[in-house]
mmCIF file of all heavy atoms in Angstrom:
data_model
loop_
_atom_site.group_PDB
_atom_site.id
_atom_site.type_symbol
_atom_site.label_atom_id
_atom_site.label_comp_id
_atom_site.label_asym_id
_atom_site.label_seq_id
_atom_site.Cartn_x
_atom_site.Cartn_y
_atom_site.Cartn_z
ATOM 1 N N SER A 86 -6.872 10.640 13.215
ATOM 2 C CA SER A 86 -6.321 9.827 12.157
ATOM 3 C C SER A 86 -5.029 10.477 11.669
ATOM 4 O O SER A 86 -5.097 11.572 11.129
ATOM 5 C CB SER A 86 -7.301 9.705 10.958
ATOM 6 O OG SER A 86 -8.516 9.167 11.392
ATOM 7 N N TYR A 88 -1.685 10.676 9.236
ATOM 8 C CA TYR A 88 -1.276 10.307 7.899
ATOM 9 C C TYR A 88 0.048 10.917 7.502
ATOM 10 O O TYR A 88 0.424 11.976 8.010
ATOM 11 C CB TYR A 88 -2.344 10.632 6.846
ATOM 12 C CG TYR A 88 -2.724 12.124 6.788
ATOM 13 C CD1 TYR A 88 -2.005 12.986 5.979
ATOM 14 C CD2 TYR A 88 -3.793 12.633 7.507
ATOM 15 C CE1 TYR A 88 -2.351 14.343 5.903
ATOM 16 C CE2 TYR A 88 -4.155 13.954 7.409
ATOM 17 C CZ TYR A 88 -3.443 14.773 6.615
ATOM 18 O OH TYR A 88 -3.784 16.078 6.542
ATOM 19 N N ILE A 118 3.511 15.294 7.551
ATOM 20 C CA ILE A 118 2.611 14.555 8.371
ATOM 21 C C ILE A 118 1.358 15.373 8.681
ATOM 22 O O ILE A 118 1.458 16.609 8.690
ATOM 23 C CB ILE A 118 3.287 14.040 9.655
ATOM 24 C CG1 ILE A 118 2.388 13.037 10.397
ATOM 25 C CG2 ILE A 118 3.660 15.253 10.595
ATOM 26 C CD1 ILE A 118 3.152 12.238 11.396
ATOM 27 N N GLY A 119 0.195 14.700 8.837
ATOM 28 C CA GLY A 119 -0.975 15.424 9.141
ATOM 29 C C GLY A 119 -1.927 14.594 10.040
ATOM 30 O O GLY A 119 -1.663 13.411 10.315
ATOM 31 N N ALA A 120 -3.004 15.254 10.405
ATOM 32 C CA ALA A 120 -3.965 14.579 11.241
ATOM 33 C C ALA A 120 -5.408 15.099 10.913
ATOM 34 O O ALA A 120 -5.550 16.299 10.736
ATOM 35 C CB ALA A 120 -3.679 14.778 12.704
ATOM 36 N N ASN A 121 -6.330 14.183 10.869
ATOM 37 C CA ASN A 121 -7.773 14.509 10.823
ATOM 38 C C ASN A 121 -8.378 14.286 12.143
ATOM 39 O O ASN A 121 -8.002 13.343 12.888
ATOM 40 C CB ASN A 121 -8.490 13.669 9.738
ATOM 41 C CG ASN A 121 -8.097 14.104 8.337
ATOM 42 O OD1 ASN A 121 -7.749 15.181 8.094
ATOM 43 N ND2 ASN A 121 -8.271 13.144 7.395
ATOM 44 N N PHE A 122 -9.281 15.080 12.526
ATOM 45 C CA PHE A 122 -9.962 14.913 13.836
ATOM 46 C C PHE A 122 -11.449 14.598 13.631
ATOM 47 O O PHE A 122 -12.207 15.384 13.132
ATOM 48 C CB PHE A 122 -9.803 16.189 14.659
ATOM 49 C CG PHE A 122 -8.359 16.588 14.831
ATOM 50 C CD1 PHE A 122 -7.781 17.533 14.011
ATOM 51 C CD2 PHE A 122 -7.616 16.033 15.847
ATOM 52 C CE1 PHE A 122 -6.430 17.870 14.154
ATOM 53 C CE2 PHE A 122 -6.274 16.352 16.018
ATOM 54 C CZ PHE A 122 -5.708 17.297 15.098
ATOM 55 N N PRO A 130 -12.142 18.554 10.897
ATOM 56 C CA PRO A 130 -11.071 19.446 11.056
ATOM 57 C C PRO A 130 -9.708 18.774 10.801
ATOM 58 O O PRO A 130 -9.575 17.500 11.030
ATOM 59 C CB PRO A 130 -11.121 19.862 12.533
ATOM 60 C CG PRO A 130 -12.495 19.480 12.965
ATOM 61 C CD PRO A 130 -12.904 18.304 12.140
ATOM 62 N N PHE A 131 -8.718 19.455 10.299
ATOM 63 C CA PHE A 131 -7.408 18.829 10.030
ATOM 64 C C PHE A 131 -6.286 19.817 10.332
ATOM 65 O O PHE A 131 -6.543 21.043 10.423
ATOM 66 C CB PHE A 131 -7.335 18.369 8.561
ATOM 67 C CG PHE A 131 -7.136 19.552 7.572
ATOM 68 C CD1 PHE A 131 -5.880 19.956 7.210
ATOM 69 C CD2 PHE A 131 -8.223 20.192 7.066
ATOM 70 C CE1 PHE A 131 -5.722 21.035 6.348
ATOM 71 C CE2 PHE A 131 -8.090 21.245 6.213
ATOM 72 C CZ PHE A 131 -6.819 21.683 5.826
ATOM 73 N N THR A 132 -5.107 19.255 10.508
ATOM 74 C CA THR A 132 -3.913 20.042 10.565
ATOM 75 C C THR A 132 -2.802 19.261 9.827
ATOM 76 O O THR A 132 -2.824 18.022 9.806
ATOM 77 C CB THR A 132 -3.481 20.394 12.037
ATOM 78 O OG1 THR A 132 -2.383 21.295 12.005
ATOM 79 C CG2 THR A 132 -3.120 19.145 12.783
ATOM 80 N N GLN A 133 -1.845 19.953 9.299
ATOM 81 C CA GLN A 133 -0.794 19.343 8.494
ATOM 82 C C GLN A 133 0.520 20.167 8.476
ATOM 83 O O GLN A 133 0.396 21.425 8.424
ATOM 84 C CB GLN A 133 -1.336 19.218 7.060
ATOM 85 C CG GLN A 133 -0.406 18.543 6.104
ATOM 86 C CD GLN A 133 -1.180 18.292 4.758
ATOM 87 O OE1 GLN A 133 -1.903 17.388 4.621
ATOM 88 N NE2 GLN A 133 -0.850 19.225 3.814
ATOM 89 N N LEU A 134 1.594 19.492 8.584
ATOM 90 C CA LEU A 134 2.916 20.161 8.474
ATOM 91 C C LEU A 134 3.628 19.410 7.350
ATOM 92 O O LEU A 134 3.848 18.166 7.445
ATOM 93 C CB LEU A 134 3.702 20.080 9.782
ATOM 94 C CG LEU A 134 5.069 20.604 9.701
ATOM 95 C CD1 LEU A 134 5.108 22.120 9.475
ATOM 96 C CD2 LEU A 134 5.858 20.285 11.018
ATOM 97 N N LEU A 146 2.635 25.023 7.436
ATOM 98 C CA LEU A 146 1.735 24.544 8.442
ATOM 99 C C LEU A 146 0.344 24.923 7.959
ATOM 100 O O LEU A 146 0.127 26.146 7.731
ATOM 101 C CB LEU A 146 2.066 25.133 9.800
ATOM 102 C CG LEU A 146 1.060 24.799 10.908
ATOM 103 C CD1 LEU A 146 1.096 23.322 11.195
ATOM 104 C CD2 LEU A 146 1.436 25.586 12.166
ATOM 105 N N ALA A 147 -0.542 23.991 7.876
ATOM 106 C CA ALA A 147 -1.931 24.229 7.392
ATOM 107 C C ALA A 147 -2.937 23.701 8.397
ATOM 108 O O ALA A 147 -2.665 22.688 9.049
ATOM 109 C CB ALA A 147 -2.116 23.614 6.049
ATOM 110 N N PHE A 148 -4.060 24.348 8.519
ATOM 111 C CA PHE A 148 -5.156 23.890 9.328
ATOM 112 C C PHE A 148 -6.469 24.369 8.735
ATOM 113 O O PHE A 148 -6.498 25.412 8.090
ATOM 114 C CB PHE A 148 -5.002 24.300 10.738
ATOM 115 C CG PHE A 148 -4.880 25.797 10.968
ATOM 116 C CD1 PHE A 148 -6.001 26.544 11.210
ATOM 117 C CD2 PHE A 148 -3.694 26.395 10.837
ATOM 118 C CE1 PHE A 148 -5.926 27.901 11.354
ATOM 119 C CE2 PHE A 148 -3.545 27.793 11.015
ATOM 120 C CZ PHE A 148 -4.713 28.556 11.234
ATOM 121 N N GLY A 149 -7.525 23.612 8.934
ATOM 122 C CA GLY A 149 -8.843 23.954 8.407
ATOM 123 C C GLY A 149 -9.812 22.833 8.607
ATOM 124 O O GLY A 149 -9.670 22.038 9.500
ATOM 125 N N ARG A 151 -12.550 19.979 6.322
ATOM 126 C CA ARG A 151 -13.011 19.390 5.076
ATOM 127 C C ARG A 151 -14.398 18.861 5.257
ATOM 128 O O ARG A 151 -14.806 18.381 6.354
ATOM 129 C CB ARG A 151 -12.053 18.215 4.724
ATOM 130 C CG ARG A 151 -10.682 18.613 4.338
ATOM 131 C CD ARG A 151 -9.848 17.423 3.848
ATOM 132 N NE ARG A 151 -8.479 17.804 3.686
ATOM 133 C CZ ARG A 151 -7.468 17.354 4.419
ATOM 134 N NH1 ARG A 151 -7.724 16.541 5.446
ATOM 135 N NH2 ARG A 151 -6.269 17.763 4.229
#
Side-chain angles (χ1 to χ4, degrees):
S86 301
Y88 58 87
I118 191 162
N121 288 334
F122 302 96
F131 74 92
T132 187
Q133 181 174 281
L134 176 64
L146 176 62
F148 57 93
R151 294 187 187 108

